Amino acid sequence: MTGLAAQRRRGALSILMIVTSIAASVAISLAMDAVLLLLRSSTAAPVEILVGAALFNGTVILQSLVGGIIEWRRPG
């Protein structure tokens, strides 16, 4: 029974680590966007900045999710 309990603890820890890493990635990405919007140059149009920020955020979130899925499906 202790083997099963240890396995459940490892599974719960794995889920916690996945969720934490995805949340941290999204938070850092949004913070970088806020800095980008605050320090934008006058030559770049706001639409271009917003599109770039959306693409960057989408990429960060997708990479985090793929990493989480790989970690979740990894045997052992």
Side-chain angles (χ1 to χ4, degrees):
M1 199 63 139
T2 56
L4 183 59
Q7 188 177 20
R8 284 186 183 161
R9 247 183 280 132
R10 279 195 304 263
L13 180 62
S14 180
I15 290 171
L16 179 65
M17 289 173 53
I18 291 169
V19 170
T20 302
S21 68
I22 291 172
S25 296
V26 170
I28 291 169
S29 174
L30 291 175
M32 290 175 65
D33 288 341
V35 170
L36 176 69
L37 290 173
L38 289 174
L39 299 177
R40 71 172 188 216
S41 65
S42 60
T43 59
V47 173
E48 293 171 350
I49 291 175
L50 291 176
V51 168
L55 289 173
F56 177 75
N57 286 339
T59 303
V60 167
I61 292 168
L62 284 175
Q63 287 178 346
S64 297
L65 289 174
V66 168
I69 291 169
I70 290 171
E71 162 60 25
W72 179 255
R73 303 292 293 172
R74 182 179 54 105

Coordinates of all heavy atoms in Angstrom, one line a residue:
M1 N 0.8 -1.2 0.0 CA 0.0 0.0 0.0 C 0.9 1.3 0.0 O 0.5 2.3 -0.5 CB -0.9 0.0 1.2 CG -2.1 0.9 1.1 SD -3.1 0.4 -0.3 CE -4.7 0.6 0.4
T2 N 2.0 1.2 0.6 CA 2.9 2.4 0.6 C 3.4 2.7 -0.8 O 3.6 3.9 -1.1 CB 4.1 2.2 1.6 OG1 4.8 1.0 1.2 CG2 3.6 2.1 3.0
G3 N 3.6 1.7 -1.6 CA 4.0 2.0 -3.0 C 3.0 2.8 -3.7 O 3.3 3.7 -4.5
L4 N 1.7 2.4 -3.5 CA 0.6 3.1 -4.2 C 0.5 4.6 -3.7 O 0.3 5.5 -4.5 CB -0.7 2.4 -4.0 CG -1.9 3.0 -4.7 CD1 -1.7 3.0 -6.2 CD2 -3.1 2.1 -4.4
A5 N 0.7 4.7 -2.4 CA 0.6 6.1 -1.8 C 1.8 7.0 -2.3 O 1.6 8.1 -2.6 CB 0.6 6.0 -0.3
A6 N 3.0 6.4 -2.4 CA 4.1 7.1 -2.9 C 3.9 7.5 -4.4 O 4.3 8.6 -4.8 CB 5.4 6.3 -2.8
Q7 N 3.3 6.6 -5.1 CA 3.1 6.9 -6.6 C 2.1 8.0 -6.7 O 2.2 8.9 -7.6 CB 2.6 5.6 -7.2 CG 2.5 5.7 -8.7 CD 2.0 4.4 -9.4 OE1 1.5 3.5 -8.7 NE2 2.3 4.3 -10.7
R8 N 1.0 8.0 -5.9 CA 0.0 9.1 -5.9 C 0.7 10.4 -5.6 O 0.4 11.4 -6.1 CB -1.1 8.8 -5.0 CG -2.0 7.8 -5.5 CD -3.2 7.6 -4.7 NE -4.1 6.5 -5.2 CZ -5.0 5.9 -4.5 NH1 -5.2 6.3 -3.2 NH2 -5.8 5.0 -5.0
R9 N 1.6 10.4 -4.6 CA 2.2 11.6 -4.2 C 3.1 12.2 -5.3 O 3.2 13.3 -5.5 CB 3.1 11.4 -2.9 CG 2.6 12.1 -1.7 CD 3.5 11.9 -0.5 NE 3.2 10.6 0.1 CZ 4.1 9.7 0.4 NH1 5.3 9.9 0.3 NH2 3.7 8.6 0.9
R10 N 3.8 11.3 -6.0 CA 4.6 11.7 -7.1 C 3.8 12.3 -8.2 O 4.1 13.2 -8.9 CB 5.5 10.5 -7.6 CG 6.7 10.2 -6.8 CD 7.6 9.3 -7.6 NE 7.0 8.1 -8.0 CZ 7.1 6.9 -7.3 NH1 7.9 6.9 -6.2 NH2 6.5 5.8 -7.8
G11 N 2.6 11.6 -8.4 CA 1.7 12.1 -9.5 C 1.2 13.5 -9.1 O 1.1 14.4 -10.0
A12 N 0.8 13.7 -7.9 CA 0.3 15.0 -7.4 C 1.4 16.1 -7.5 O 1.2 17.2 -7.9 CB -0.2 14.9 -6.0
L13 N 2.6 15.7 -7.1 CA 3.8 16.6 -7.3 C 4.0 17.0 -8.7 O 4.3 18.1 -9.0 CB 5.0 16.0 -6.6 CG 6.3 16.9 -6.6 CD1 6.0 18.2 -5.9 CD2 7.4 16.1 -6.1
S14 N 3.9 16.0 -9.6 CA 4.2 16.2 -11.0 C 3.1 17.2 -11.5 O 3.5 18.2 -12.3 CB 4.1 14.9 -11.8 OG 4.3 15.1 -13.1
I15 N 1.9 17.0 -11.2 CA 0.8 17.9 -11.6 C 1.0 19.3 -11.1 O 0.9 20.3 -11.8 CB -0.6 17.4 -11.2 CG1 -0.9 16.2 -12.0 CG2 -1.7 18.5 -11.4 CD1 -2.2 15.5 -11.5
L16 N 1.4 19.4 -9.8 CA 1.7 20.7 -9.2 C 2.9 21.4 -10.0 O 2.8 22.6 -10.2 CB 2.0 20.6 -7.7 CG 2.4 21.9 -7.0 CD1 1.2 22.8 -6.9 CD2 2.9 21.5 -5.6
M17 N 3.9 20.7 -10.3 CA 5.0 21.3 -11.0 C 4.6 21.7 -12.4 O 5.1 22.8 -12.9 CB 6.2 20.3 -11.0 CG 6.8 20.1 -9.7 SD 8.1 18.8 -9.6 CE 9.2 19.2 -10.9
I18 N 3.8 21.0 -13.1 CA 3.4 21.3 -14.4 C 2.6 22.6 -14.4 O 2.8 23.5 -15.1 CB 2.6 20.2 -15.1 CG1 3.5 19.0 -15.4 CG2 1.9 20.6 -16.3 CD1 2.8 17.7 -15.8
V19 N 1.6 22.7 -13.5 CA 0.7 23.8 -13.4 C 1.5 25.1 -13.0 O 1.3 26.2 -13.5 CB -0.4 23.6 -12.4 CG1 -1.2 24.8 -12.0 CG2 -1.4 22.5 -12.9
T20 N 2.5 24.9 -12.1 CA 3.3 26.0 -11.6 C 4.2 26.5 -12.8 O 4.3 27.7 -13.0 CB 4.2 25.6 -10.4 OG1 3.4 25.1 -9.4 CG2 5.0 26.7 -9.9
S21 N 4.7 25.6 -13.5 CA 5.6 26.1 -14.6 C 4.8 26.8 -15.7 O 5.3 27.8 -16.3 CB 6.4 24.9 -15.2 OG 5.6 24.0 -15.9
I22 N 3.6 26.3 -16.0 CA 2.8 27.0 -17.0 C 2.3 28.3 -16.5 O 2.4 29.3 -17.2 CB 1.5 26.1 -17.4 CG1 2.0 24.8 -18.2 CG2 0.5 26.9 -18.2 CD1 0.9 23.8 -18.4
A23 N 1.9 28.4 -15.2 CA 1.5 29.7 -14.7 C 2.7 30.7 -14.7 O 2.5 31.9 -15.0 CB 1.0 29.5 -13.3
A24 N 3.9 30.2 -14.3 CA 5.1 31.1 -14.3 C 5.4 31.6 -15.7 O 5.7 32.7 -15.9 CB 6.3 30.4 -13.7
S25 N 5.3 30.7 -16.7 CA 5.6 31.1 -18.1 C 4.6 32.1 -18.6 O 5.0 33.1 -19.2 CB 5.5 29.9 -19.0 OG 6.4 28.9 -18.7
V26 N 3.3 32.0 -18.3 CA 2.3 32.9 -18.7 C 2.5 34.3 -17.9 O 2.5 35.3 -18.5 CB 0.9 32.4 -18.4 CG1 -0.2 33.5 -18.6 CG2 0.6 31.2 -19.3
A27 N 2.9 34.2 -16.7 CA 3.1 35.5 -15.9 C 4.3 36.2 -16.4 O 4.2 37.4 -16.6 CB 3.3 35.1 -14.4
I28 N 5.4 35.5 -16.7 CA 6.6 36.2 -17.2 C 6.3 36.7 -18.6 O 6.7 37.9 -18.9 CB 7.7 35.2 -17.3 CG1 8.2 34.9 -15.8 CG2 8.9 35.7 -18.1 CD1 9.2 33.7 -15.7
S29 N 5.5 36.0 -19.4 CA 5.2 36.5 -20.8 C 4.4 37.8 -20.7 O 4.6 38.7 -21.4 CB 4.4 35.4 -21.5 OG 4.0 35.8 -22.7
L30 N 3.4 37.8 -19.8 CA 2.5 39.0 -19.7 C 3.3 40.2 -19.1 O 3.1 41.3 -19.5 CB 1.3 38.7 -18.8 CG 0.3 37.7 -19.4 CD1 -0.8 37.4 -18.4 CD2 -0.3 38.3 -20.7
A31 N 4.2 39.9 -18.2 CA 5.1 41.0 -17.7 C 6.0 41.5 -18.8 O 6.2 42.8 -18.8 CB 5.9 40.4 -16.5
M32 N 6.5 40.7 -19.6 CA 7.3 41.2 -20.7 C 6.5 42.0 -21.7 O 7.0 43.0 -22.2 CB 8.0 40.0 -21.4 CG 9.1 39.3 -20.6 SD 9.7 37.8 -21.4 CE 10.5 38.5 -22.9
D33 N 5.3 41.6 -21.9 CA 4.4 42.4 -22.8 C 4.1 43.8 -22.2 O 4.1 44.8 -22.9 CB 3.1 41.7 -23.0 CG 3.2 40.5 -23.9 OD1 4.2 40.4 -24.6 OD2 2.3 39.6 -23.9
A34 N 3.9 43.8 -20.9 CA 3.6 45.1 -20.2 C 4.8 46.0 -20.3 O 4.7 47.2 -20.7 CB 3.3 44.9 -18.7
V35 N 6.0 45.5 -20.2 CA 7.3 46.3 -20.4 C 7.4 46.7 -21.8 O 7.7 47.9 -22.1 CB 8.5 45.5 -19.9 CG1 9.8 46.2 -20.3 CG2 8.5 45.2 -18.4
L36 N 7.1 45.8 -22.7 CA 7.2 46.2 -24.2 C 6.2 47.3 -24.5 O 6.6 48.3 -25.2 CB 6.8 45.0 -25.0 CG 6.8 45.2 -26.5 CD1 8.2 45.5 -27.1 CD2 6.2 44.0 -27.2
L37 N 5.0 47.3 -24.0 CA 4.0 48.3 -24.3 C 4.4 49.6 -23.6 O 4.1 50.7 -24.1 CB 2.6 47.9 -23.8 CG 2.0 46.8 -24.7 CD1 0.7 46.3 -24.1 CD2 1.8 47.2 -26.1
L38 N 5.0 49.6 -22.4 CA 5.4 50.8 -21.7 C 6.6 51.5 -22.4 O 6.7 52.7 -22.4 CB 5.7 50.5 -20.3 CG 4.5 50.2 -19.4 CD1 5.0 49.8 -18.0 CD2 3.6 51.4 -19.3
L39 N 7.5 50.7 -22.9 CA 8.7 51.2 -23.5 C 8.7 51.2 -25.0 O 9.8 51.3 -25.6 CB 9.9 50.4 -23.0 CG 10.1 50.4 -21.5 CD1 11.3 49.5 -21.1 CD2 10.4 51.8 -21.0
R40 N 7.6 51.1 -25.6 CA 7.5 51.0 -27.1 C 8.1 52.3 -27.7 O 8.0 53.4 -27.2 CB 6.1 50.8 -27.6 CG 5.2 52.0 -27.4 CD 3.9 51.8 -28.0 NE 3.2 53.0 -28.0 CZ 1.9 53.1 -27.8 NH1 1.2 52.1 -27.6 NH2 1.4 54.3 -27.7
S41 N 8.7 52.1 -28.9 CA 9.2 53.3 -29.6 C 8.1 53.9 -30.4 O 7.0 53.3 -30.7 CB 10.3 52.8 -30.6 OG 9.8 52.0 -31.5
S42 N 8.3 55.2 -30.7 CA 7.2 55.9 -31.5 C 7.1 55.4 -32.9 O 6.2 55.8 -33.6 CB 7.5 57.4 -31.4 OG 8.7 57.7 -32.0
T43 N 8.1 54.7 -33.4 CA 8.1 54.2 -34.8 C 7.2 53.0 -35.0 O 6.7 52.8 -36.1 CB 9.5 53.9 -35.3 OG1 10.0 52.9 -34.5 CG2 10.4 55.1 -35.2
A44 N 7.0 52.2 -34.0 CA 6.2 51.0 -34.2 C 4.7 51.3 -33.9 O 4.4 52.0 -32.9 CB 6.7 49.9 -33.2
A45 N 3.9 50.9 -34.8 CA 2.5 51.1 -34.6 C 1.9 50.2 -33.5 O 2.4 49.0 -33.3 CB 1.7 50.8 -35.9
P46 N 1.0 50.6 -32.7 CA 0.5 49.8 -31.6 C -0.1 48.5 -32.1 O 0.0 47.5 -31.4 CB -0.6 50.7 -31.0 CG -0.2 52.1 -31.3 CD 0.5 52.0 -32.7
V47 N -0.7 48.5 -33.3 CA -1.3 47.2 -33.8 C -0.2 46.2 -34.0 O -0.3 45.0 -33.6 CB -2.0 47.5 -35.1 CG1 -2.5 46.2 -35.7 CG2 -3.2 48.4 -34.8
E48 N 1.0 46.6 -34.5 CA 2.1 45.7 -34.8 C 2.6 45.1 -33.4 O 2.9 44.0 -33.3 CB 3.2 46.4 -35.5 CG 2.9 46.8 -36.9 CD 3.9 47.7 -37.6 OE1 4.8 48.1 -36.8 OE2 3.8 47.9 -38.8
I49 N 2.7 46.0 -32.4 CA 3.2 45.6 -31.1 C 2.2 44.6 -30.5 O 2.6 43.5 -30.0 CB 3.3 46.8 -30.2 CG1 4.5 47.6 -30.7 CG2 3.6 46.3 -28.8 CD1 4.8 48.9 -29.9
L50 N 0.9 44.8 -30.6 CA -0.1 43.9 -30.1 C -0.1 42.6 -30.8 O -0.3 41.5 -30.1 CB -1.5 44.6 -30.1 CG -1.7 45.7 -29.2 CD1 -3.1 46.4 -29.4 CD2 -1.5 45.3 -27.7
V51 N 0.0 42.6 -32.1 CA 0.1 41.3 -32.8 C 1.3 40.5 -32.4 O 1.3 39.3 -32.2 CB 0.1 41.6 -34.4 CG1 0.4 40.3 -35.1 CG2 -1.3 42.1 -34.8
G52 N 2.5 41.2 -32.3 CA 3.7 40.5 -31.9 C 3.6 40.0 -30.5 O 4.0 38.9 -30.2
A53 N 3.0 40.7 -29.6 CA 2.8 40.3 -28.2 C 1.8 39.1 -28.2 O 2.1 38.1 -27.4 CB 2.2 41.4 -27.4
A54 N 0.8 39.1 -29.0 CA -0.2 38.0 -29.0 C 0.5 36.7 -29.6 O 0.3 35.6 -29.0 CB -1.4 38.3 -29.9
L55 N 1.3 36.9 -30.6 CA 2.1 35.7 -31.1 C 3.1 35.2 -30.1 O 3.2 34.0 -30.0 CB 2.8 36.1 -32.4 CG 1.9 36.3 -33.6 CD1 2.7 36.9 -34.8 CD2 1.1 35.1 -34.0
F56 N 3.8 36.1 -29.5 CA 4.7 35.7 -28.4 C 4.0 34.9 -27.3 O 4.5 33.8 -26.9 CB 5.5 36.9 -27.9 CG 6.4 36.5 -26.8 CD1 7.6 35.9 -27.1 CD2 6.1 36.9 -25.5 CE1 8.5 35.6 -26.1 CE2 7.0 36.6 -24.5 CZ 8.2 35.9 -24.8
N57 N 2.9 35.5 -26.8 CA 2.2 34.8 -25.7 C 1.6 33.5 -26.2 O 1.7 32.5 -25.4 CB 1.0 35.7 -25.3 CG 1.5 36.9 -24.4 OD1 2.6 36.9 -23.9 ND2 0.6 37.9 -24.4
G58 N 1.1 33.4 -27.4 CA 0.6 32.1 -27.9 C 1.7 31.1 -27.9 O 1.5 29.9 -27.6
T59 N 2.9 31.5 -28.4 CA 4.0 30.6 -28.5 C 4.4 30.1 -27.1 O 4.7 28.9 -26.9 CB 5.2 31.3 -29.2 OG1 4.8 31.7 -30.5 CG2 6.4 30.3 -29.4
V60 N 4.5 31.0 -26.2 CA 5.0 30.6 -24.8 C 4.0 29.7 -24.2 O 4.4 28.7 -23.6 CB 5.1 31.9 -23.9 CG1 5.2 31.6 -22.5 CG2 6.3 32.7 -24.4
I61 N 2.7 30.0 -24.3 CA 1.7 29.1 -23.7 C 1.7 27.7 -24.4 O 1.6 26.7 -23.7 CB 0.3 29.8 -23.8 CG1 0.3 31.0 -22.9 CG2 -0.8 28.8 -23.5 CD1 -0.9 31.9 -23.1
L62 N 1.8 27.7 -25.7 CA 1.8 26.4 -26.4 C 3.0 25.6 -26.0 O 2.9 24.4 -25.8 CB 1.8 26.6 -27.9 CG 0.4 26.9 -28.5 CD1 0.5 27.2 -30.0 CD2 -0.6 25.8 -28.2
Q63 N 4.2 26.2 -25.9 CA 5.4 25.5 -25.5 C 5.3 25.0 -24.1 O 5.7 23.8 -23.8 CB 6.6 26.4 -25.7 CG 7.0 26.6 -27.1 CD 8.2 27.5 -27.2 OE1 8.6 28.2 -26.3 NE2 8.8 27.5 -28.4
S64 N 4.7 25.7 -23.2 CA 4.5 25.3 -21.9 C 3.5 24.1 -21.8 O 3.8 23.2 -21.0 CB 3.9 26.4 -21.0 OG 4.8 27.5 -20.9
L65 N 2.5 24.2 -22.6 CA 1.5 23.1 -22.6 C 2.1 21.8 -23.1 O 1.9 20.7 -22.6 CB 0.3 23.5 -23.3 CG -0.6 24.5 -22.7 CD1 -1.7 24.9 -23.6 CD2 -1.2 24.0 -21.4
V66 N 2.9 21.9 -24.2 CA 3.5 20.7 -24.8 C 4.5 20.1 -23.8 O 4.6 18.9 -23.6 CB 4.2 21.1 -26.1 CG1 5.1 20.0 -26.6 CG2 3.2 21.4 -27.2
G67 N 5.3 21.0 -23.1 CA 6.2 20.5 -22.1 C 5.5 19.8 -21.0 O 5.9 18.8 -20.5
G68 N 4.3 20.4 -20.6 CA 3.5 19.7 -19.6 C 3.0 18.4 -20.0 O 3.0 17.4 -19.2
I69 N 2.5 18.3 -21.2 CA 2.0 17.0 -21.7 C 3.1 16.0 -21.8 O 2.9 14.8 -21.4 CB 1.4 17.2 -23.1 CG1 0.1 18.0 -22.9 CG2 1.1 15.9 -23.8 CD1 -0.5 18.5 -24.2
I70 N 4.3 16.4 -22.3 CA 5.4 15.4 -22.3 C 5.8 15.0 -20.9 O 6.0 13.8 -20.7 CB 6.7 16.1 -23.0 CG1 6.4 16.3 -24.5 CG2 7.9 15.3 -22.8 CD1 7.4 17.1 -25.2
E71 N 5.8 15.9 -19.9 CA 6.1 15.5 -18.6 C 5.1 14.5 -18.0 O 5.4 13.6 -17.3 CB 6.2 16.7 -17.7 CG 6.1 16.5 -16.2 CD 7.2 15.6 -15.6 OE1 8.3 15.5 -16.2 OE2 6.9 15.0 -14.6
W72 N 3.8 14.8 -18.3 CA 2.7 14.0 -17.8 C 2.8 12.6 -18.4 O 2.5 11.6 -17.7 CB 1.4 14.7 -18.1 CG 0.2 13.9 -17.7 CD1 -0.6 13.2 -18.4 CD2 -0.2 13.8 -16.3 NE1 -1.6 12.6 -17.6 CE2 -1.4 13.0 -16.3 CE3 0.2 14.3 -15.1 CZ2 -2.0 12.6 -15.2 CZ3 -0.5 13.9 -14.0 CH2 -1.6 13.1 -14.0
R73 N 3.1 12.5 -19.7 CA 3.0 11.2 -20.3 C 4.4 10.4 -20.2 O 4.4 9.3 -20.6 CB 2.8 11.4 -21.8 CG 1.4 12.1 -22.1 CD 0.3 11.3 -21.7 NE 0.2 10.2 -22.6 CZ -0.7 9.2 -22.5 NH1 -1.5 9.2 -21.5 NH2 -0.6 8.2 -23.3
R74 N 5.4 11.0 -19.6 CA 6.7 10.4 -19.5 C 6.6 9.2 -18.5 O 6.1 9.4 -17.4 CB 7.7 11.4 -19.0 CG 9.1 10.9 -18.8 CD 9.9 12.0 -18.3 NE 9.4 12.6 -17.1 CZ 9.9 12.4 -15.9 NH1 10.9 11.7 -15.7 NH2 9.4 13.0 -14.8
P75 N 7.0 8.1 -18.9 CA 6.9 6.9 -18.0 C 7.9 7.0 -16.9 O 9.0 7.5 -17.0 CB 7.3 5.7 -18.9 CG 8.0 6.3 -20.0 CD 7.6 7.7 -20.2
G76 N 7.5 6.6 -15.7 CA 8.3 6.6 -14.5 C 8.5 7.9 -14.0 O 9.2 8.2 -13.1

